Amino acid sequence: MVTLHFCLLYLFLLATSGHCAAPAEEENPEFWRKLAKDALHSAINQKLNTNVAKNIVLFLGDGMGVTTITAARILKGQLQNRTGEETVLTMDTFPHVGLVKVYSVDFQIPDSAATGTAYLCGVKTNLNTVGLSAAARNGVCRSQKGREVTSILKWAKDAGKSVGIVTTTRVQHASPAAAYAHSASRKWYCDSDMPASAKKEGCTDIASQLLNNTDIDVIIGGGRKYMTPKGTLDPEYPADAKAAGMRGDGRNLISEWQQMKVGKVARYVWNRTDFDAVDPSNTDYLLALFEPGDLRFDVERDPAMDPSLPETTEKAIRILQRNPKGFFLFVEGGRIDQGHHASRASMALHETVALDTAVERALQLTSENDTLTLVTADHSHSVSFNGYPFRGNSILGKSPLFGLDMMPYTTLMYGNGPGHKIIDNKRPDIRGVDTASKDYVQQAAVPTDSETHGGEDVAVLARGPMGHLFHGVQEQSYIPHALAYAACIGPDQSHCPPPPTRSSSPVLRVSGPIILLSLLLAALLH
């Protein structure tokens, strides 16, 4: 009872003193009334953009649930020396917002392969399978045949548009793989990852499909080791055996890619210097692989070696927008997910801020009149935003309230993960711990090696032509169909304006009297 009284007293003190961090203007009711009035007028004056989308840019925050968006918003503001809560992310400015349901056909909470197939191919499927319908079975090669489903990237390419993939993971990872591959296992990155039975039955690895399935104009990310023969030394880490090539079939897919592009201006790069030297105005194809596997977290990235996500996004857009028919670009902030899996909230939030900066860069390079920009997530995580922290408290800091065990806890925690630690039947005392450190592992309720995904709906935010199609609560598989409708690509184009007709010979336009005179002359001569 004493502990309960103490907590209630502490909560009262918080309530009576917590306002001190708030800007003084917020104490004036007129501040909030004007804010609401401005937002209302903006909504009233919003005109629907019903243009055909020439370009589509799809931003995917892997694991970027609503809690992650909120926490990243606060972090972005705090990195700019503000309290943070009032910060506006670039994605926050998008006028159209909806929710999508992320479950897979066989699981209540999905993975990035099943969700990637949903939001790129428009078909929900089973866990761990990529680019296949739910009739396929996880890891069973023979179940693939006849169950392949194509993505909006391919629909755009078939329509004559240029297409690209930019990711902070390996380009063979589940999310980007769903744009071009068909695989009964998301883990078949290269042939060495496949069981002998799958290879015997005719299945091919994801890296080889990157070259053979769809002609992709721009590919940027990591994954060098899946492209080269076993034992091939990595150009950046020649002494690291784990960075060496992994292919057992002896193929060098990088060399094959270069040979396939003979006659075109095609550049392969693996470092910042060569990347910066790529001139978008005269580049037809770009393959940029900056790491053997996934890229480094943004806060650990060496800017001298690897460009940032906003920079790679800009390069991709500048190359793709040369096509007068437009382009489709998929941009993934893939390491948001990996930061959460490690229960390192700082890493996940900094990755989200980097993605938002990439969104800002894309909007600067494109026009809202002809470019549909979408921001969404594939799934969330078990991260929670809790306690009663003061306004402006570090989002990576601690709640001023203690638990009933008289120990502090952080504002961000996980439902499960590697942060579950009990010492002498108590939680660790973190009063002297820097919880804002990039390496800090947040506490978790349940011990697991890797924190798991969450299953709640995720946000979809849209701006540009037909952005209003993204509304309400939809299935995740709705996304590519709405994108295709907006761009007049894919199987359903019944609503699209017909292409302009061109006659092979000039048309002679004659007036009514001339036609009448011609008919009379024809009758007399007859």
Side-chain angles (χ1 to χ4, degrees):
M1 183 63 70
V2 173
T3 303
L4 177 60
H5 287 164
F6 175 81
C7 289
L8 290 174
L9 175 61
Y10 198 27
L11 185 59
F12 171 76
L13 292 174
L14 291 181
T16 56
S17 62
H19 71 278
C20 60
E25 62 184 359
E26 295 184 10
E27 296 183 0
N28 185 347
E30 288 306 313
F31 171 83
W32 300 105
R33 291 168 183 153
K34 184 180 183 304
L35 205 63
K37 184 177 180 181
D38 291 345
L40 181 60
H41 284 173
S42 177
I44 292 170
N45 295 325
Q46 180 73 40
K47 299 291 190 296
L48 294 185
N49 182 342
T50 57
N51 297 340
V52 173
K54 176 183 176 182
N55 312 309
I56 297 173
V57 185
L58 172 54
F59 284 94
L60 188 282
D62 196 317
M64 189 180 68
V66 173
T67 300
T68 300
I69 292 175
T70 303
R73 178 190 302 128
I74 295 172
L75 176 64
K76 188 168 187 175
Q78 293 180 345
L79 291 173
Q80 299 167 350
N81 296 317
R82 303 204 302 270
T83 51
E85 296 83 2
E86 73 290 342
T87 303
V88 178
L89 293 170
T90 300
M91 66 180 80
D92 290 340
T93 66
F94 285 34
H96 306 289
V97 183
L99 295 172
V100 292
K101 298 182 282 186
V102 300
Y103 67 92
S104 63
V105 170
D106 56 346
F107 276 78
Q108 199 171 62
I109 295 178
D111 77 323
S112 295
T115 53
T117 304
Y119 65 76
L120 286 170
C121 303
V123 173
K124 287 213 170 192
T125 190
N126 299 320
L127 213 71
N128 292 325
T129 60
V130 176
L132 301 170
S133 74
R137 297 291 177 262
N138 178 24
V140 181
C141 171
R142 63 180 178 274
S143 71
Q144 284 188 203
K145 190 173 182 180
R147 277 75 184 251
E148 299 87 354
V149 291
T150 56
S151 77
I152 188 169
L153 179 138
K154 186 175 191 310
W155 307 343
K157 189 68 178 184
D158 290 345
K161 297 181 184 294
S162 294
V163 297
I165 292 171
V166 174
T167 181
T168 55
T169 66
R170 68 206 83 170
V171 295
Q172 306 87 358
H173 210 254
S175 302
Y180 62 84
H182 313 287
S183 180
S185 174
R186 58 175 288 180
K187 297 179 181 178
W188 292 348
Y189 301 123
C190 75
D191 65 312
S192 297
D193 297 317
M194 301 176 66
S197 59
K199 287 184 278 190
K200 185 177 180 180
E201 291 170 359
C203 286
T204 57
D205 62 278
I206 293 171
S208 66
Q209 293 186 55
L210 178 62
L211 269 65
N212 299 327
N213 286 4
T214 303
D215 184 27
I216 304 174
D217 302 88
V218 174
I219 304 167
I220 303 176
R224 290 193 296 256
K225 65 183 180 181
Y226 304 111
M227 307 289 279
T228 55
K230 278 185 180 177
T232 303
L233 299 182
D234 186 81
E236 189 173 0
Y237 312 104
D240 186 355
K242 293 182 179 179
M246 292 184 61
R247 299 198 65 82
D249 56 10
R251 295 174 65 187
N252 186 321
L253 298 184
I254 296 172
S255 297
E256 289 186 23
W257 180 87
Q258 292 171 318
Q259 293 165 7
M260 291 169 66
K261 309 306 180 190
V262 172
K264 298 288 185 179
V265 180
R267 297 289 304 275
Y268 165 67
V269 301
W270 59 270
N271 59 67
R272 152 80 78 173
T273 301
D274 292 343
F275 177 79
D276 288 346
V278 173
D279 181 0
S281 66
N282 64 6
T283 299
D284 299 315
Y285 292 92
L286 173 62
L287 174 62
L289 303 176
F290 295 110
E291 289 290 333
D294 299 324
L295 302 191
R296 295 181 180 274
F297 284 107
D298 194 59
V299 296
E300 297 178 336
R301 177 176 57 86
D302 180 0
M305 286 300 297
D306 302 330
S308 66
L309 184 60
E311 291 171 313
T312 54
T313 298
E314 176 172 351
K315 185 80 77 172
I317 290 175
R318 290 195 183 279
I319 292 173
L320 298 175
Q321 65 187 183
R322 296 173 60 215
N323 187 338
K325 292 185 177 180
F327 65 85
F328 170 83
L329 175 62
F330 174 71
V331 181
E332 183 199 20
R335 301 219 67 187
I336 299 170
D337 175 74
Q338 295 174 359
H340 279 316
H341 278 308
S343 294
R344 296 165 72 186
S346 175
M347 289 298 199
L349 297 191
H350 278 89
E351 291 295 305
T352 307
V353 171
L355 178 68
D356 191 65
T357 305
V359 174
E360 180 181 14
R361 187 73 60 87
L363 294 183
Q364 293 168 350
L365 294 167
T366 58
S367 168
E368 191 172 357
N369 290 329
D370 66 1
T371 302
L372 175 56
T373 305
L374 201 77
V375 180
T376 190
D378 48 357
H379 53 73
S380 68
H381 277 266
S382 72
V383 62
S384 66
F385 185 3
N386 68 148
Y388 292 96
F390 291 119
R391 173 74 179 274
N393 192 63
S394 170
I395 189 63
L396 296 169
K398 309 174 186 75
S399 170
L401 280 178
F402 283 19
L404 292 179
D405 57 1
M406 301 309 298
M407 291 287 190
Y409 57 92
T410 51
T411 302
L412 298 177
M413 302 177 70
Y414 290 92
N416 58 64
H420 177 89
K421 292 181 176 64
I422 300 295
I423 301 173
D424 295 332
N425 208 33
K426 293 182 180 179
R427 293 186 302 119
D429 186 348
I430 60 173
R431 276 175 288 191
V433 176
D434 179 12
T435 59
S437 164
K438 67 180 179 64
D439 297 316
Y440 178 71
V441 177
Q442 255 74 15
Q443 292 180 353
V446 176
T448 57
D449 289 335
S450 176
E451 179 269 350
T452 69
H453 296 166
E456 72 271 20
D457 300 349
V458 298
V460 53
L461 307 99
R463 175 173 173 167
M466 306 302 286
H468 57 280
L469 296 179
F470 298 93
H471 71 292
V473 181
Q474 309 288 351
E475 294 288 355
Q476 193 170 40
S477 50
Y478 169 82
I479 290 175
H481 296 289
L483 291 174
Y485 183 96
C488 282
I489 60 177
D492 179 15
Q493 299 182 27
S494 58
H495 62 288
C496 301
T501 57
R502 292 184 178 180
S503 177
S504 58
S505 58
V507 177
L508 179 63
R509 298 185 182 277
V510 294
S511 63
I514 293 177
I515 294 174
L516 181 60
L517 181 58
S518 299
L519 292 173
L520 290 172
L521 287 172
L524 290 171
L525 292 173
H526 185 72

